[in-house]
Amino acid sequence: MVLASGWAQNFALIITTAAILGTAARKTKQPTVIAYIFTGLLLGPFFLDIIVETEGTQLLGEIGLSFLLFLIGVEIKLDEIREIFREVTFIALGQMSVSALLGYLTGQAFGFTFMESVFVAAAFTFSSTAVVVKLLSSKDEISTLPGKIGVGVLLIQDVAVVLILALLSTSASTPSQIAVSIAEIGVMISIIAGISYLSSQKLLPKVFRKVSENRQAFFIHGITWAFLFITLSDSIGLSTEIGAFFAGLSLAQLPYSHELIEEIRPLTDFFMAVFFINIGLGLTGNALSTYMVEAFLAAGILMIGKFAVLFFTIDRLKFTPETSLKSALNLSQMSEFSLILGALGVSKGLISPEIFGFISLTMIITVGFSSYFIAFSENFYRRFEHVLARIDSEAKNDVEVEALEDHALVIGYDFIGRRSAEILEDEFEDVMVVDRNSANVNELSRSGYEYVYGDFGHGEIRNASQINKADFVMSLVPDFTVNRKIVEEASPDAAVFVKASNLDEAAELYDLGAHYVIQKNELVGEKMGEYVKLFLEDEELFHEEVEKDRERIKWGDRSV
C-alpha cells in the first residue's frame, strides 16, 4: 500500500534510503547509480510498495535527466582528445556498429519482436559516461591514454544518443517521415551546436570573468545557462536534454569549468539521483522477473562482445596490448542512457514494461561487474601480461598524449607566484598555475602555463592539478587547511613550499613534511630590520636599495 502521509515524508524516506544505499555502494566500489535504482526498487512496487511514481517525482526525474546530460557535457573538454580524435572516431564507429548488431541478434534469439530487438540493439550500443568518467577520475587515470580513448569514444556515443533522443521525441512513423525528421533534427542540432560553440568563444569568457569572484553569482550563471539552452531547445522542437548537453559542452571549454563542476555538482547529483530513483519506482516485480535469465545471458554476451570488438579494434590501430586491454575493460558495460531510451520506448508504446525491465536488469548487471573491471584493470593486465606479450610487436606504439607529470605546480598567482612561475619555467617542461583571481584569467590563458581557474580547496581542482604527480609544489594561499591538504597529497618525492600565517602553523606544516614554509610577516619584519640597520650605517647605499625596489614595483619585476 502507498503511505498515506504527505509528499514531504515520502521524499524524506526516499532521500534517507538513497543516502544509506549510496554509502553501501561506495564501500563496495559500486557506482551510486545502482544504489539509486535499488532505492526505487526497494521502496516501490517491486518490493515494499510504499511509494509510487507521482507527477512530482516524474517532474524531478525529467529535470534530473536534463542535468545528467548537462553534467556529462561540462565534463568533456575537446582539447583533451583532439590529438587522438581520428583514432577515437574509428574505434567508436566500429564498436557502436558491432554492438548494435550484436544487441539486435540477441533480441531476435530471445524471441523479441523487431522493434523490441531494435531497442535492445540501442541499449547494447552505448557505454556509461557517468560511471566510466567517475571511476577513471577517482583512479587518477582520466588523462592517461586509455582514459582519453574512453572519454573520446563516450563523447561520440553521447552525440549519437542526443540524435536518438531527438528522433524519439518526434511523432514520425513512416520511413519518409523519419527521413524528414532526421534532416530537420540535423539542422536544429547544428543551430544549437553553433550557438554553443560561438558562446564558448565570445560570450561566456566575458560573462564568467565578471561573476567569478562571487560564488553565488558564479553558480547561478552556470545553472541559468543550462536552463537557457533547455528553453531554446524546447522552443525549436528538440528535447530539453539536447539543450542541456550542449550548454554543458560550451561551459566545458572555459578555464572556469573545473570550478563550475565543483559548484554545481551537489545540485546535479541530487536531480540525477531522483531520476534513477524514479526509474526504480517504475519497475514492477513482473517487469524484472519475466526475462531475468535472458538478462543475465545478455549481460554476458554484451560484456564479452564489447570487450572483444574494442580490444581488437584498438589493437588493429597499433596501440600496445596494455592500452587495448584497459580501454576495452573501461567500456564493457551498458549505459545509463539505455534506461532513458527504454523508458521513452515504454511511454510511446514501442516496447513493453517487461522489455524495459530486461534492459534495466542487464544494465545493472553489466555496470556492477564492469566497475570492478575498471577498478582492477591494472591487476587484470598484470595477470594476463604474459598472454598479451604474444600479440605485441615493435610496430605497436602508443600515441603520445599530453599528460601532466613531473611538473611544477604554483597555487596562487600574486607577485611572488608570477616571479616563481617564470623561474620554474626555465627548469620544468610543464608549469601549472592554479588561481582564483579573475583579473589574472586573460594573462594566464594566453601564457605558456597550464592553467586551472578555481579554489584549490575543492577536490575537482586538486584532481585537475595532478598534485600527486608534481615534482615541485608552491602554495601562496593563506588557508592553513588547504596547505595542510597540499602537503599531505603531494608526492613524497616532491619539493613542497607552502605559506603560513603564524609560527604555530609553520611548525605543523614543517612536521607534516613541507620543505619550506613562507612566513610573510616574519620575512617582512626581517627585511624591515635590515633596511633600518642599513639606513643607520650607510644612508647612500640605503637609498640605492630603495631605488631598486621602486624600479621593481614600477616594472612589475620584469626588469629584474
Side-chain angles (χ1 to χ4, degrees), residues 296-318:
F296 277 93
L297 291 172
I301 293 169
L302 182 147
M303 288 186 288
I304 294 170
K306 267 193 177 179
F307 175 85
V309 66
L310 283 164
F311 181 87
F312 289 112
T313 303
I314 298 169
D315 181 72
R316 189 170 182 81
L317 291 172
K318 302 302 181 182

Side-chain angles (χ1 to χ4, degrees), residues 103-121 291 349-352 355:
Y104 179 79
L105 294 176
T106 300
Q108 290 289 288
F110 290 156
F112 298 161
T113 66
F114 169 77
M115 185 55 67
E116 290 169 345
S117 297
V118 167
F119 271 83
V120 173
Y291 296 111
L350 299 174
I351 62 173
S352 66
I355 297 298

Side-chain angles (χ1 to χ4, degrees), residues 181-371:
S181 295
I182 290 174
E184 292 175 346
I185 289 167
V187 171
M188 290 186 288
I189 288 180
S190 298
I191 293 171
I192 291 283
I195 295 172
S196 172
Y197 174 77
L198 291 174
S199 299
S200 69
Q201 299 298 308
K202 304 295 183 182
L203 174 64
L204 293 177
K206 297 177 182 177
V207 171
F208 278 88
R209 184 166 60 249
K210 289 181 179 179
V211 302
S212 58
E213 292 299 318
N214 186 321
R215 292 185 66 172
Q216 287 75 25
F218 190 72
F219 169 81
I220 291 297
H221 277 71
I223 298 300
T224 300
W225 186 248
F227 277 106
L228 281 174
F229 265 70
I230 287 171
T231 303
L232 174 62
S233 183
D234 185 59
S235 66
I236 63 175
L238 293 174
S239 66
T240 57
E241 296 83 15
I242 295 173
F245 175 75
F246 281 106
L249 198 60
S250 61
L251 293 173
Q253 315 317 312
L254 303 179
Y256 310 93
S257 61
H258 291 289
E259 182 71 8
L260 185 61
I261 290 171
E262 186 74 29
E263 295 288 349
I264 66 173
R265 189 179 293 281
L267 181 65
T268 55
D269 283 356
F270 168 76
F271 281 114
M272 284 166 53
V274 174
F275 168 74
F276 287 111
I277 290 168
N278 203 53
I279 291 287
L281 288 174
L283 293 169
T284 63
N286 185 59
L288 283 176
S289 62
T290 300
Y291 296 111
M292 182 175 292
V293 174
E294 288 86 347
F296 277 93
L297 291 172
I301 293 169
L302 182 147
M303 288 186 288
I304 294 170
K306 267 193 177 179
F307 175 85
V309 66
L310 283 164
F311 181 87
F312 289 112
T313 303
I314 298 169
D315 181 72
R316 189 170 182 81
L317 291 172
K318 302 302 181 182
F319 288 99
T320 62
E322 179 180 1
T323 295
S324 301
L325 178 75
K326 291 182 177 179
S327 300
L329 287 173
N330 289 343
L331 299 171
S332 297
Q333 75 282 117
M334 189 179 279
S335 171
E336 61 276 356
F337 290 122
S338 303
L339 304 182
I340 298 166
L341 295 174
L344 282 172
V346 172
S347 68
K348 289 182 172 292
L350 299 174
I351 62 173
S352 66
E354 288 74 23
I355 297 298
F356 179 46
F358 162 80
I359 292 173
S360 301
L361 187 55
T362 305
M363 180 266 183
I364 292 170
I365 296 167
T366 58
V367 167
F369 276 102
S370 71
S371 298

Side-chain angles (χ1 to χ4, degrees), residues 9 13 25 71 99 161 165 182 213-214 234 243 249-250 287 300 407 418 434 438 443 451 483 506 511 536:
Q9 289 87 342
L13 178 60
L71 187 61
S99 295
V161 166
L165 287 174
I182 290 174
E213 292 299 318
N214 186 321
D234 185 59
L249 198 60
S250 61
H407 58 291
R418 183 177 284 104
V434 178
S438 58
E443 177 187 346
Y451 168 51
N483 287 321
D511 289 341
L536 296 174

Side-chain angles (χ1 to χ4, degrees), residues 243-533:
F245 175 75
F246 281 106
L249 198 60
S250 61
L251 293 173
Q253 315 317 312
L254 303 179
Y256 310 93
S257 61
H258 291 289
E259 182 71 8
L260 185 61
I261 290 171
E262 186 74 29
E263 295 288 349
I264 66 173
R265 189 179 293 281
L267 181 65
T268 55
D269 283 356
F270 168 76
F271 281 114
M272 284 166 53
V274 174
F275 168 74
F276 287 111
I277 290 168
N278 203 53
I279 291 287
L281 288 174
L283 293 169
T284 63
N286 185 59
L288 283 176
S289 62
T290 300
Y291 296 111
M292 182 175 292
V293 174
E294 288 86 347
F296 277 93
L297 291 172
I301 293 169
L302 182 147
M303 288 186 288
I304 294 170
K306 267 193 177 179
F307 175 85
V309 66
L310 283 164
F311 181 87
F312 289 112
T313 303
I314 298 169
D315 181 72
R316 189 170 182 81
L317 291 172
K318 302 302 181 182
F319 288 99
T320 62
E322 179 180 1
T323 295
S324 301
L325 178 75
K326 291 182 177 179
S327 300
L329 287 173
N330 289 343
L331 299 171
S332 297
Q333 75 282 117
M334 189 179 279
S335 171
E336 61 276 356
F337 290 122
S338 303
L339 304 182
I340 298 166
L341 295 174
L344 282 172
V346 172
S347 68
K348 289 182 172 292
L350 299 174
I351 62 173
S352 66
E354 288 74 23
I355 297 298
F356 179 46
F358 162 80
I359 292 173
S360 301
L361 187 55
T362 305
M363 180 266 183
I364 292 170
I365 296 167
T366 58
V367 167
F369 276 102
S370 71
S371 298
Y372 292 115
F373 296 158
I374 297 172
F376 300 106
S377 60
E378 182 65 26
N379 301 69
F380 279 103
Y381 171 66
R382 296 301 174 196
R383 178 68 179 82
F384 296 101
E385 187 175 8
H386 66 287
V387 178
L388 295 171
R390 298 174 186 173
I391 62 171
D392 201 359
S393 70
E394 292 183 2
K396 293 180 180 179
N397 290 295
D398 285 337
V399 175
E400 289 292 331
V401 295
E402 292 184 10
L404 276 177
E405 198 169 31
D406 304 327
H407 58 291
L409 174 61
V410 178
I411 304 150
Y413 198 64
D414 56 9
F415 179 84
I416 300 174
R418 183 177 284 104
R419 183 69 177 125
S420 299
E422 291 172 359
I423 296 169
L424 291 167
E425 192 175 21
D426 294 333
E427 300 295 328
F428 289 88
E429 185 176 345
D430 294 307
V431 175
M432 166 166 274
V433 176
V434 178
D435 184 65
R436 207 189 168 194
N437 185 349
S438 58
N440 294 328
V441 170
N442 283 340
E443 177 187 346
L444 287 169
S445 296
R446 292 193 300 265
S447 73
Y449 309 135
E450 299 290 334
Y451 168 51
V452 172
Y453 172 89
D455 183 345
F456 207 78
H458 293 159
E460 182 74 27
I461 306 301
R462 294 199 302 278
N463 288 340
S465 75
Q466 300 286 291
I467 183 173
N468 60 320
K469 296 180 180 178
D471 272 355
F472 184 95
V473 181
M474 172 181 281
S475 170
L476 301 167
V477 298
D479 191 322
F480 173 71
T481 303
V482 172
N483 287 321
R484 184 187 179 97
K485 287 181 179 177
I486 287 169
V487 177
E488 292 172 342
E489 295 182 12
S491 166
D493 299 325
V496 181
F497 287 35
V498 289
K499 189 175 183 180
S501 300
N502 54 60
L503 292 175
D504 289 338
E505 289 183 0
E508 185 170 346
L509 291 169
Y510 273 124
D511 289 341
L512 288 170
H515 289 73
Y516 182 71
V517 178
I518 305 163
Q519 302 168 75
K520 189 172 183 180
N521 292 338
E522 282 72 12
L523 291 174
V524 171
E526 289 178 10
K527 189 70 173 178
M528 183 63 69
E530 291 174 5
Y531 272 19
V532 170
K533 184 178 179 180

